[in-house]
Amino acid sequence: KATQVDGVYDSDPRKNAAAKRFDKLDYSEVLARDLKVMDGAAIALARDNGLPVIVFSIEEPGNLLKVLRGAGRATVIA
């Protein structure tokens, strides 16, 4: 999932400089913490079908390619 920020945070990093970024999360953590990365139904659908979600910034030039190569800064939800 391409976004304006480089992963999933516990609050909006654009509004809260102390927001904590997560490198990895599982689906239940995203749902339990009510993290606003995606609609809850979309997270549940990904979980039920075993699809990992990679959240990364589309704002950084070349970041999609970096993420595809496993080198980009992102949060993996699995």
Side-chain angles (χ1 to χ4, degrees):
K1 178 179 189 278
T3 67
Q4 295 177 349
V5 295
D6 61 354
V8 179
Y9 288 80
D10 63 354
S11 62
D12 188 340
R14 295 172 294 177
K15 296 178 182 175
N16 178 8
K20 180 181 179 239
R21 186 181 163 284
F22 300 99
D23 288 324
K24 295 181 181 181
L25 290 164
D26 62 40
Y27 306 107
S28 60
E29 286 179 292
V30 173
L31 296 171
R33 292 175 183 245
D34 195 28
L35 299 173
K36 303 296 183 189
V37 62
M38 293 172 61
D39 178 79
I43 292 292
L45 187 62
R47 176 196 61 206
D48 294 348
N49 289 284
L51 299 171
V53 178
I54 302 170
V55 182
F56 66 97
S57 173
I58 197 67
E59 302 283 319
E60 182 182 329
N63 205 31
L64 176 59
L65 187 56
K66 288 179 193 173
V67 169
L68 292 173
R69 290 180 175 161
R73 186 169 162 93
T75 298
V76 177
I77 304 169

